[in-house]
Amino acid sequence: MTQSRISGFYKLTLDERRAKLADSASLALDDLAAFNLNGGITPESADHMIENAIGTFALPLGVGLNFMVNGRDVLVPMAIEEPSVVAGASFMAKLARAGGGFMATTTDPLMIGQMQVIHIANLEEARLKLYEHKAELLAEADSIDPVLKKFGGGARDLEVRIIEDSPIGGFLVVHLIYDVRDAMGANAVNTACEKLAPHIESITGGHVHLRILSNLADRRIARVRCMIPVKELAFDTYTGEEVRDGIIAAYAFAAADPYRAATHNKGIMNGVDAVVIATGNDWRAIEAGAHAYAARSGKYTSLSTWNRDKEGNLIGTLEMPMAVGIIGGATKVHPAAQAALKLTGAKTAGELAEIIVSVGLAQNMAALRALATEGIQRGHMSLHARQVAVAAGASGDMIEKVAAQMVAEKTVRIDKAEEILKALKAQ
Ligand code: MEV
């Protein structure tokens, strides 16, 4: 059983942290060996992944602690360049634990494949003809990927819409709903659409133009909620009630205003993308799906909600498309992504999706809590100060000393760092 509460983790060296993680997740140290490799993959592997490879590009990989998702402790791999994200998510996961952790669910892993059918004489007639042939079209699509079928996936439904007014006149949009099980599903769905196209052309008399999945994966949704006991929210001079109401007021801003909602959702994606990237998944697909879903009512709004329950506790929810896989793609060929996946303990794509939305909600709360109280800069200060200390020429022990003094003096600037460094060296 994984233990996600590890006290003093941040004080350990990187080697010690990996050893501790292996221990906490009941894994062999070898299972996490890929994390030692700079960037997690060799240039040779990179050369097999993309064209014109010239090297690799590494990001820091951290681990989100304290997470409990559906009653199970989870260690969360997070690949991200931004300071405060890993610490913020871990801290909020700790508060959420006091309310039972994160409760998450997913729908079936249904992806949507789109076919655009143009040059049709009678759109209404062609639409109905497609429905008349639905069973045979689904049977055909179902036989395309025997491996997926073996694991319980396959074609599930067909839907046809008419687009009346467009620069090219009217056309049909056919949606193939495809259960992709533990795959991200792009390959399976795109293949199915391409293979189905000739049959659709013969039924409609039209021409199938585009055949591609939709990233608005609104049939593949992950949902999560958490409850934070109000007393857990108190800190410094702030009462729990003040922090709770501050978070709810911050949410109200995002719910009402697209300018704020974009930033609010960006905070959610800080957590979401970090796990999506660490597990080798397609974060552009997740980003596209998230923002399209946030605008599904016609007005762009918050992906999360924050309110209180009748006992006065803080209740957070998040719902968004989550098209991630645990087989195939980079998840399969990237050694660090494999190790990251192992660390999460997720056995299905749905379980991974549930972890990811939990991190998104935790990250959202971290940002709102900071914004609603002391502001975002204070939390950023100490890591930023270390970066400034390094830029001023500090090394070894000096980095921490210079950074700590700048934070204490509330001035984090390169000239200040140089001045402190000079004074410390003179001692
Ligand atoms: C910064 O990366 C993310 C925040 O801007 C999110 C937010 O404003 O809610 C802090």
Side-chain angles (χ1 to χ4, degrees):
M1 285 287 270
T2 295
Q3 282 291 328
S4 68
R5 300 202 64 178
I6 310 176
S7 69
F9 191 72
Y10 68 99
K11 293 186 198 146
L12 306 176
T13 64
L14 270 68
D15 283 338
E16 288 168 343
R17 286 181 196 154
R18 284 192 288 264
K20 194 83 180 166
L21 273 191
D23 193 38
S24 304
S26 310
L27 293 172
L29 202 50
D30 252 11
D31 289 329
L32 307 181
F35 296 153
N36 302 346
L37 198 66
N38 206 4
I41 52 167
T42 59
E44 291 71 38
S45 307
D47 198 27
H48 295 306
M49 286 173 82
I50 63 160
E51 308 75 32
N52 297 351
I54 52 167
T56 60
F57 184 95
L59 284 174
L61 180 75
V63 61
L65 299 178
N66 305 319
F67 275 87
M68 186 161 88
V69 180
N70 294 336
R72 186 174 77 82
D73 269 27
V74 182
L75 289 160
V76 185
M78 300 175 76
I80 187 155
E81 86 296 348
E82 186 172 329
S84 301
V85 170
V86 178
S90 302
F91 184 56
M92 296 309 136
K94 193 165 161 192
L95 299 190
R97 255 185 119 84
F102 296 92
M103 273 64 70
T105 55
T106 45
T107 61
D108 279 342
L110 299 179
M111 295 298 285
I112 300 168
Q114 295 197 293
M115 285 159 280
Q116 179 194 22
V117 198
I118 59 176
H119 304 155
I120 291 180
N122 187 316
L123 292 171
E124 207 45 79
E125 181 196 36
R127 177 168 166 267
L128 295 197
K129 276 187 175 171
L130 282 170
Y131 279 122
E132 287 158 32
H133 289 83
K134 178 169 144 175
E136 72 200 50
L137 285 165
L138 286 182
E140 186 178 343
D142 210 33
S143 64
I144 289 166
D145 194 327
V147 180
L148 209 55
K149 191 154 174 61
K150 194 175 110 203
F151 287 105
R156 292 290 181 268
D157 206 358
L158 198 87
E159 293 164 355
V160 192
R161 282 183 295 133
I162 294 175
I163 305 285
E164 295 278 7
D165 291 316
S166 87
I168 58 155
F171 58 89
L172 288 185
V173 179
V174 182
H175 277 190
L176 173 66
I177 314 296
Y178 214 83
D179 186 324
V180 297
R181 295 286 97 196
D182 287 329
M184 185 275 182
N187 278 330
V189 170
N190 293 341
T191 305
C193 288
E194 289 188 6
K195 292 240 165 102
L196 221 52
H199 197 166
I200 288 189
E201 288 181 341
S202 76
I203 295 167
T204 58
H207 167 66
V208 177
H209 189 46
L210 298 199
R211 298 146 296 168
I212 185 79
L213 96 167
S214 170
N215 286 125
L216 176 49
D218 63 0
R219 303 295 186 89
R220 195 179 191 180
I221 297 289
R223 301 183 171 94
V224 63
R225 72 181 168 87
C226 67
M227 185 273 279
I228 318 292
V230 67
K231 65 174 180 3
E232 297 290 330
L233 290 166
F235 75 101
D236 283 357
T237 57
Y238 300 98
T239 66
E241 285 75 10
E242 278 168 346
V243 177
R244 176 199 64 200
D245 294 345
I247 289 174
I248 295 172
Y251 156 63
F253 187 5
D257 176 32
Y259 286 90
R260 174 56 206 156
T263 325
H264 175 100
N265 290 341
K266 190 272 183 183
I268 293 172
M269 301 313 285
N270 275 345
V272 167
D273 284 341
V275 191
V276 171
I277 293 171
T279 54
N281 275 289
D282 180 347
W283 77 94
R284 287 89 55 212
I286 300 298
E287 283 282 342
H291 298 292
Y293 195 67
R296 67 194 180 283
S297 69
K299 182 183 167 200
Y300 186 89
T301 187
S302 167
L303 285 166
S304 64
T305 71
W306 291 97
N307 285 297
R308 48 184 286 180
D309 66 11
K310 61 181 188 310
E311 282 82 38
N313 300 313
L314 181 67
I315 306 290
T317 71
L318 171 63
E319 172 179 316
M320 59 187 290
M322 193 49 68
V324 290
I326 59 165
I327 52 168
T331 308
K332 198 78 196 164
V333 298
H334 195 300
Q338 277 287 302
L341 200 58
K342 214 166 210 167
L343 188 64
T344 66
K347 297 281 180 287
T348 63
E351 276 177 36
L352 179 61
E354 287 164 2
I355 294 168
I356 294 172
V357 280
S358 302
V359 181
L361 188 61
Q363 195 53 49
N364 182 218
M365 181 166 74
L368 298 190
R369 174 182 172 274
L371 288 167
T373 55
E374 61 195 12
I376 209 77
Q377 286 308 95
R378 198 178 135 189
H380 275 291
M381 230 23 143
S382 64
L383 267 177
H384 176 57
R386 278 193 242 163
Q387 282 166 6
V388 173
V390 172
S395 59
D397 288 358
M398 284 293 180
I399 299 173
E400 206 48 58
K401 286 184 182 156
V402 173
Q405 195 167 331
M406 281 195 291
V407 171
E409 293 181 25
K410 294 196 167 69
T411 309
V412 181
R413 271 200 332 253
I414 187 99
D415 57 327
K416 188 76 189 170
E418 282 163 358
E419 180 192 315
I420 297 169
L421 188 62
K422 203 166 154 197
L424 285 171
K425 279 185 176 163
Q427 277 173 19

